[in-house]
Amino acid sequence: MKENEGVFTFNPWEYTVPEQGEKLQYLSIGLTAACNFNCIFCSKADSAKEQWDPVLLEEVLQEARELGLQKVEFTGGEPLLFPGIMELIGELKDRGITSLLVTNGSLIEPEIAAKLAREEAMVAVSLTTLQEEKFNRMTGTRGNLPRVLEGIEMLKTAGLGREKPPLLAVQAVASRDNIEEIPQLEQWAAEQGALFILNRPIPVGAMDQEALISPGELRELLEPGARVPFSLNSPCNRLRTGCYIGSDGLVRPCPCIELFAGSVREKGLTEIWEGSSVLKVSRNINSLLEGSCGQCGERNRCYGCRAVAYAVFKKLQAPDPGCFRYEKNQYDGGGRQ
């Protein structure tokens, strides 16, 4: 199914319908490391508080368009703190490129929601609990849960929903802190007419391994009969179809993998995309998988979570130890099976 037809049966923040050739179809951009929240699970907790130079950002997006760009995910920090983001989303829409926004939702106003709807942006609001005191602790703030819920209501009123663009999603990171609430959150999201996305916890930044859920618990939280360790039974393929560029200008395979392909402050994006050995491995990762991922019957379409694999084994090709298909005795950490 194409991404602009019918009910979404996959997570467009993680999955892009691949085309022939090594096109850069999907670009994830961390617009700023600044945030009005201080979440205990933030992958960018240790990042310098930088943001993009608008001129450089336009140059990078122009190169990306020439490389085949179809959609851009804007993250942070909190991307709504980036000056001019709404104008940027409008400019991309005029060029036929879809914008995806990942936000904590607290800064949504009626005019922002209406603009996002007009530009057919896809908006994912991060929400890890509906309990106010726990929300305060997990986000390092006070009194913001009602504001986030109001933001979601504004997006709904503007016309965002779960069946077609403009898309609205509620995304939750499942950890030891909130695992028992995930079914409630999923039901609540459905009642709001929003897609529900369960995010895998990744032991980087402020998230430590003690907070991770087990592979068995992950499987229980996913859809019945799930064959891959991701929401909607659809894999993540962002490494095959794109890359991430942080507000520091560094290019990575994805936001949570600390492998660097180059800096757009020093080289053009085209040179990095076509010449980086890191990104070449990323684009061909399905054929390079080791351990239980390499033996998995789903390997042609799913490569597990490379961020979790790299965080644990420091190797991009390693198996995903958070997947319910992971076999510990098939891998010794050095690639031998």
Side-chain angles (χ1 to χ4, degrees):
M1 184 184 75
K2 293 183 179 180
E3 296 183 26
N4 59 353
E5 294 180 355
V7 178
F8 273 76
T9 57
F10 55 87
N11 174 3
W13 283 264
E14 291 182 341
Y15 185 80
T16 301
V17 178
E19 295 183 352
Q20 293 293 326
E22 295 189 339
K23 295 182 179 180
L24 195 165
Q25 299 173 241
Y26 177 52
L27 192 59
S28 180
I29 295 180
L31 285 175
T32 176
C35 190
N36 58 329
F37 282 12
N38 186 27
C39 297
I40 62 175
F41 49 81
C42 180
S43 64
K44 298 295 183 292
D46 301 325
S47 300
K49 297 300 183 280
E50 300 182 61
Q51 66 182 28
W52 278 83
D53 171 69
V55 175
L56 177 60
L57 181 57
E58 175 54 37
E59 291 173 356
V60 167
L61 289 172
Q62 176 59 39
E63 284 193 77
R65 288 194 293 269
E66 294 169 359
L67 290 167
L69 186 65
Q70 297 175 4
K71 62 184 182 182
V72 180
E73 174 196 47
F74 292 118
T75 68
E78 170 51 52
L80 288 178
L81 290 173
F82 183 77
I85 183 175
M86 302 310 298
E87 291 76 12
L88 180 58
I89 289 173
E91 290 169 5
L92 288 170
K93 173 66 162 47
D94 291 342
R95 294 181 170 95
I97 296 170
T98 299
S99 293
L100 300 92
L101 184 69
V102 179
T103 174
N104 62 40
S106 67
L107 302 178
I108 298 293
E109 299 288 349
E111 60 271 21
I112 292 176
K115 174 71 172 176
L116 291 167
R118 285 196 302 272
E119 306 302 348
E120 296 187 343
M122 303 188 189
V123 182
V125 178
S126 299
L127 183 61
T128 53
T129 177
L130 293 170
Q131 299 178 33
E132 189 158 12
E133 282 306 312
K134 183 181 286 189
F135 182 92
N136 291 343
R137 177 174 60 82
M138 295 183 74
T139 61
T141 67
R142 295 204 64 82
N144 273 306
L145 179 58
R147 189 69 192 87
V148 172
L149 301 183
E150 289 172 4
I152 291 172
E153 190 64 35
M154 292 174 194
L155 292 166
K156 289 166 50 185
T157 300
L160 279 77
R162 65 178 295 164
E163 295 190 351
K164 60 182 179 180
L167 189 69
L168 173 63
V170 170
Q171 64 173 21
V173 176
S175 72
R176 298 254 70 83
D177 280 297
N178 69 336
I179 183 172
E180 75 285 351
E181 293 183 67
I182 296 301
Q184 177 190 2
L185 278 167
E186 184 172 11
Q187 180 180 350
W188 183 85
E191 292 170 354
Q192 306 311 305
L195 198 65
F196 180 74
I197 297 171
L198 180 69
N199 279 351
R200 301 276 304 278
I202 301 169
V204 298
M207 176 73 78
D208 56 39
Q209 293 204 34
E210 286 70 28
L212 304 188
I213 62 174
S214 71
E217 288 169 328
L218 173 64
R219 188 165 202 167
E220 287 294 318
L221 294 174
L222 295 172
E223 291 77 16
R227 299 187 60 81
V228 297
F230 299 97
S231 286
L232 305 179
N233 201 26
S234 70
C236 170
N237 72 343
R238 61 168 69 201
L239 270 70
R240 290 181 56 196
T241 56
C243 61
Y244 168 80
I245 312 177
S247 56
D248 53 9
L250 293 174
V251 181
R252 304 167 175 86
C254 95
C256 295
I257 297 177
E258 294 299 298
L259 271 176
F260 305 108
S263 171
V264 293
R265 295 177 180 176
E266 300 173 359
K267 297 180 181 179
L269 178 60
T270 302
E271 182 180 354
I272 295 172
W273 176 254
E274 295 178 348
S276 165
S277 58
V278 170
L279 296 184
K280 286 180 180 179
V281 168
S282 297
R283 291 197 291 274
N284 294 282
I285 194 66
N286 293 74
S287 64
L288 301 172
L289 296 171
E290 299 171 348
S292 49
C293 281
Q295 302 295 319
C296 183
E298 300 291 330
R299 66 174 292 174
N300 288 331
R301 74 183 186 106
C302 175
Y303 48 68
C305 181
R306 293 298 92 209
V308 172
Y310 187 79
V312 173
F313 294 112
K314 302 304 178 191
K315 192 173 185 181
L316 202 59
Q317 300 95 317
D320 173 4
C323 178
F324 46 77
R325 293 174 177 270
Y326 174 63
E327 295 290 345
K328 186 175 182 179
N329 61 2
Q330 289 188 10
Y331 192 71
D332 65 2
R336 292 174 290 278
Q337 307 176 42

